[in-house]
Amino acid sequence: MVSVQVRWVEKNMVSLGIVCIILSPFILAVISLFIGQYSLDPITVLTILFSPVIHSDPTWTEAQSNVIFNIRIPRILGALLIGGGLSVAGAVYQSLFRNPMVSPDILGVSSGAGFGAAVAILFSLPLLLIEGSAFFFGLLSVGFAILLSQIYKGESILVLVLSGIIMGSFFTSLISLVKFVADPTSKLPAITYWLMGSLSAVSMPDILFAFIFIVPGSLYCMIIGWRLNAFSLGDEEAGALGVDTRRMKYILILISTMITAYSVCICGIIGWIGLVIPHLGRMMVGPDNARLIPVSFFLGAAYLILIDNIARNATTAEIPLGILTAIVGVPFFAYIMARRDVGWT
Amino acid sequence: MFSIKNGGFSYNPEKEIFKNVTFSLKKGEILCILGPNGIGKSTLLKCCGRVMPMHTGEVFIEGKGITELSRQRLAQKVGYVPQAHKMVFPFSVLQLVLLGRTPHIPAYSRPGKRDIEIAMKSMEIVGIEHLKDAPVNRISGGECQLAMIARALAQEPSILILDEPTNHLDFGNQVKILHILDKLAKTQKITIIMSTHYPDHTFLLSCQVGIMQNGVVSLVGQAEKVVTEKSLEDTYQISIGVHFIKQANRNVCVPSYP
C-alpha cells in the first residue's frame, strides 16, 4: 500500500516536473518583457502591451511602444523559437547518429551558413540577402556532406558524420579566408560579431519565418519521437523492426538542417545549446524521444530566453550569445553532472 | 514454413560470400548454422530476414517471397536478434523490449496498454520481468541477450533469426538461452534460425544443422547425422572426436590438442 502511494507520488512528481518545464519558457518570456536597457516601469509596459486590445489615449511615447513591440517581443520570441528548435535538432541528431557528442551542426550546417553570412557582409549586401545567403549555404553544406557520404557507397552513419565534419572544416576555412580579406576596420568586426551570435537585429518578419521553419519541423520530430527510439539499436535493426530508415533519416536531417540554418540566419552561430540541452532533458525524463524531444524544446527555449536577458542587460554593450551560452552553461552543466546519475557510463 | 532457394550474396563480383543456398524448415524447427569465423554466417542470417538484400534467389515465408512483403509486414513475421551490442543511451529494459512493437504501431503513434502487456509477457517468457526498470547499459551480458530476445518476441514473430545468441556468455547462460529457444520452438511453434560456434549446442538442442563453408551450406540435416568427426574436421581444420556420453544421453564434441 505504502509503495503504491510512493509510486503515485513519484509519478505525479514527474508529471509536475514536466508541466514546470513546459511553462518555464512562457513565464520567463513574460518576465523578460519587463526588463531591458531602456527603462520602462511595469505599468507602462502593461498599458502598452494591452493598447491594441483596449483602446485608450496613449500615455506613452512612440519610442516606448517601439521598444516593446519591435525590440523586446521579437527578441523574446526569437530566443524561444531558436533555443527550442536548436535543442530539438540536437536531440534528434544524437538519437539518429547514436552519439551523445553530436550537435545540430555536425553535418556542417553552421559553418556553411556562417560562410554565407560572412560573404554577404563582405559585399555589403542588405540584411535580407545576408540571411538568404546564410540559409542557402547552410543547406548547401549539408547537401554536399550527404553527397560526399554517398560517394563512399556505404550509408553508414559514421561515413555521413565524417563527411559532415569534412564539409564543416571546409567552410570554416572559407570563413577564415573571408575574414582575412575583409576590411579590418569595418567589415571584420561586423563578420565576427555576426558569427558570435546575437538576437539584437531580430525583427517581426524574421519571427514569422522562424515560426515557419522551426515550429512545424519541431512538431514533426515530437510526434515521430517514439519511432526514433528504434534508431538507437542501429540502422539495420531499426530496418528489421519495419522502420524505413533511409527515408526517415533524410527527412529528419532536412528538418534539423532547416532549423539550424535559419537560426544561424537570424542570430549567428549559437553553439552549445543543441549539444547540452538534450543531455539535460535526458537527465530529467530519460532517453525516450517521445518525451525527450518536447522537453528539450521547452528547456532550450527557456534557456535561450534566460541567456538573452543576460546578453542584453548585464552590461551596457550587448554580449554575444555564442559567448554567454557556454560561459553560463558550463558551470551549471558541470554541477548537474556531478549531482545526477547521467547513465551513459 | 521457411525456405530459401538458390540464395546468393557478394560484396563484390570477384568474391561471392555464398551462392546456391537452398534449405527449408518446418514450423517450430530449429536450424543451427555452423561454420568457421568470417565465412558469412551473419550475412546469410541477415539475408534470411532481409536485413540485407540477397543478390540472387529468394526467401519464402509461408509460401510468400519476402521481397513482396512491406518492411512493416515482414517485421511482424520475422524477429532478428543481432550479436550482442552496446546501447549508447540508458533506455530501460521495458523501453527496449517495447521497441519490438514498432511494426505493430503506426508511425506517428506510441505504444499503448496492449503493447506494454505484450512486452511484459515477452519478458516473462525469458524470465527478466524483474529487470523492467533497469537501464540496459547496466545489466549483464546474459541479461542483455535475454532482453534482445524478449524484444524480438514482442514482435510476435513466427520466425526468429539469432546471430550467435550465446556469444560472450558464460557456460550457464549459454545453456539457459538454448533452453529458452528450445522452449519457444516447442511451445510457441516459432521457427528458429541461429548461428553458433559450438557444435555441442546442436546436440543439446538435437536440432537441424547447416554447415557453411566455401560459400555454400553444404550439409543440412539432423544434428546427429550431420555433425560428424569428418564434417567437423573439414569445417574447423582440427581433428575433433564425437563421442556418445551415456550419462548425458547425447553426443559431445572433444577437440584433440595438436
Side-chain angles (χ1 to χ4, degrees):
Chain A
M1 201 52 212
V2 174
S3 80
V4 171
Q5 274 176 351
V6 168
R7 288 192 64 180
W8 186 85
V9 170
E10 266 178 12
K11 215 173 163 186
N12 282 277
M13 286 291 277
V14 172
S15 312
L16 188 71
I18 289 175
V19 169
C20 287
I21 292 169
I22 292 171
L23 288 180
S24 60
F26 301 106
I27 294 168
L28 278 168
V30 172
I31 296 170
S32 307
L33 281 172
F34 295 92
I35 39 186
Q37 291 280 342
Y38 189 100
S39 79
L40 282 170
D41 62 281
I43 307 289
T44 319
V45 173
L46 281 174
T47 34
I48 294 173
L49 273 177
F50 287 106
S51 64
V53 226
I54 307 161
H55 295 284
S56 58
D57 293 329
T59 52
W60 58 88
T61 64
E62 190 70 17
Q64 284 173 327
S65 118
N66 204 25
V67 164
I68 297 291
F69 287 116
N70 293 329
I71 297 173
R72 286 187 194 172
I73 290 181
R75 276 193 87 142
I76 293 163
L77 288 177
L80 193 150
L81 291 172
I82 288 165
L86 286 176
S87 306
V88 167
V92 166
Y93 270 11
Q94 287 175 4
S95 289
L96 201 58
F97 299 141
R98 284 193 303 288
N99 189 334
M101 286 174 290
V102 154
S103 62
D105 52 7
I106 193 74
L107 296 181
V109 55
S110 294
S111 315
F115 168 74
V119 165
I121 294 171
L122 186 70
F123 292 114
S124 314
L125 298 179
L127 187 63
L128 198 68
L129 284 179
I130 297 178
E131 292 184 359
S133 166
F135 193 65
F136 173 75
F137 278 98
L139 296 186
L140 193 74
S141 172
V142 175
F144 277 149
I146 291 173
L147 270 181
L148 199 62
S149 76
Q150 285 181 344
I151 292 174
Y152 295 104
K153 276 183 191 165
E155 275 193 41
S156 98
I157 292 290
L158 213 61
V159 174
L160 184 59
V161 170
L162 183 63
S163 308
I165 292 172
I166 291 171
M167 285 320 294
S169 30
F170 176 69
F171 278 106
T172 306
S173 312
L174 288 184
I175 292 176
S176 304
L177 181 69
V178 172
K179 280 180 166 176
F180 183 67
V181 297
D183 177 358
T185 53
S186 61
K187 294 284 163 56
L188 187 58
I191 293 172
T192 311
Y193 188 72
W194 177 287
L195 291 177
M196 285 195 293
S198 166
L199 281 159
S200 59
V202 173
S203 65
M204 256 349 221
D206 287 331
I207 297 304
L208 184 70
F209 280 112
F211 197 86
I212 293 169
F213 284 119
I214 293 172
V215 173
S218 299
L219 281 175
Y220 179 82
C221 295
M222 288 177 198
I223 56 173
I224 202 85
W226 189 76
R227 193 152 267 237
L228 184 57
N229 291 347
F231 275 88
S232 54
L233 299 161
D235 274 23
E236 277 188 348
E237 275 182 77
L241 287 173
V243 178
D244 188 345
T245 47
R246 202 182 134 86
R247 185 163 154 249
M248 193 166 153
K249 187 163 74 186
Y250 287 125
I251 290 177
L252 289 173
I253 288 176
L254 181 69
I255 289 173
S256 304
T257 302
M258 298 250 272
I259 291 174
T260 315
Y262 197 71
S263 304
V264 181
C265 263
I266 60 171
C267 64
I269 298 175
I270 302 176
W272 215 78
I273 286 189
L275 173 69
V276 173
I277 296 294
H279 285 298
L280 203 60
R282 222 171 268 124
M283 288 176 213
M284 292 174 174
V285 299
D288 177 4
N289 285 297
R291 272 189 176 185
L292 175 64
I293 292 177
V295 161
S296 294
F297 183 91
F298 292 106
L299 278 177
Y303 185 70
L304 196 54
I305 293 175
L306 197 70
I307 294 295
D308 191 48
N309 275 333
I310 301 174
R312 60 196 176 105
N313 295 312
T315 57
T316 42
E318 282 254 355
I319 308 169
L321 285 175
I323 297 175
L324 278 177
T325 44
I327 286 185
V328 178
V330 168
F332 173 63
F333 189 63
Y335 169 71
I336 298 271
M337 284 247 281
R339 261 194 66 222
R340 290 289 297 264
D341 188 358
V342 188
W344 26 261
T345 47
Chain B
M1 177 61 208
F2 176 93
S3 64
I4 173 168
K5 288 204 173 71
N6 292 322
F9 182 89
S10 58
Y11 284 105
N12 56 52
E14 296 98 68
K15 198 180 179 310
E16 278 177 320
I17 303 295
F18 59 83
K19 60 175 187 244
N20 293 331
V21 171
T22 303
F23 58 80
S24 62
L25 291 168
K26 294 192 202 75
K27 207 171 167 60
E29 266 186 332
I30 301 179
L31 174 75
C32 269
I33 297 182
L34 293 175
N37 283 126
I39 200 75
K41 296 188 294 295
S42 298
T43 312
L44 176 62
L45 290 177
K46 281 178 184 171
C47 288
C48 286
R50 216 177 102 201
V51 178
M52 277 181 2
M54 220 154 50
H55 293 159
T56 59
E58 173 71 310
V59 173
F60 298 90
I61 291 168
E62 291 158 356
K64 249 200 201 125
I66 57 168
T67 46
E68 289 165 33
L69 296 169
S70 72
R71 276 200 170 287
Q72 186 144 350
R73 283 293 289 145
L74 184 66
Q76 291 169 2
K77 291 177 186 295
V78 181
Y80 168 71
V81 180
Q83 290 190 26
H85 64 93
K86 216 171 140 56
M87 296 262 289
V88 179
F89 297 111
F91 283 91
S92 72
V93 171
L94 177 62
Q95 281 171 328
L96 173 74
V97 174
L98 266 175
L99 289 179
R101 297 302 297 160
T102 307
H104 299 274
I105 295 172
Y108 304 108
S109 190
R110 295 168 60 169
K113 223 172 148 189
R114 208 181 93 81
D115 298 303
I116 293 174
E117 278 167 18
I118 291 170
M120 285 305 293
K121 196 156 165 279
S122 310
M123 286 158 68
E124 274 165 36
I125 291 171
V126 300
I128 52 162
E129 65 274 24
H130 59 285
L131 291 172
K132 104 183 152 66
D133 294 320
V136 282
N137 42 9
R138 294 279 167 83
I139 59 178
S140 74
E143 290 165 340
C144 188
Q145 191 58 261
L146 288 171
M148 295 302 280
I149 293 173
R151 196 209 71 200
L153 285 179
Q155 283 172 256
E156 300 181 305
S158 46
I159 294 165
L160 208 51
I161 296 173
L162 305 103
D163 197 352
E164 289 180 35
T166 53
N167 205 6
H168 304 304
L169 299 187
D170 69 42
F171 212 55
N173 274 324
Q174 289 184 13
V175 176
K176 205 167 129 195
I177 297 261
L178 292 177
H179 181 65
I180 285 168
L181 294 175
D182 204 16
K183 214 171 65 186
L184 287 173
K186 291 209 170 90
T187 59
Q188 317 233 354
K189 292 287 167 211
I190 296 177
T191 306
I192 295 174
I193 306 171
M194 59 184 265
S195 57
T196 179
H197 280 304
Y198 302 93
D200 274 330
H201 289 172
T202 66
F203 294 130
L204 257 170
L205 294 170
S206 182
C207 61
Q208 297 289 305
V209 177
I211 295 182
M212 198 173 179
Q213 51 185 346
N214 305 324
V216 286
V217 178
S218 56
L219 290 163
V220 182
Q222 188 62 27
E224 289 75 13
K225 288 199 182 113
V226 171
V227 183
T228 59
E229 293 185 350
K230 180 167 184 324
S231 68
L232 288 178
E233 189 174 344
D234 285 350
T235 310
Y236 298 111
Q237 310 299 325
I238 54 163
S239 77
I240 298 169
V242 176
H243 306 287
F244 183 80
I245 301 290
K246 210 166 48 188
Q247 289 89 332
N249 194 30
R250 64 164 192 269
N251 285 357
V252 292
C253 303
V254 184
S256 69
Y257 192 66

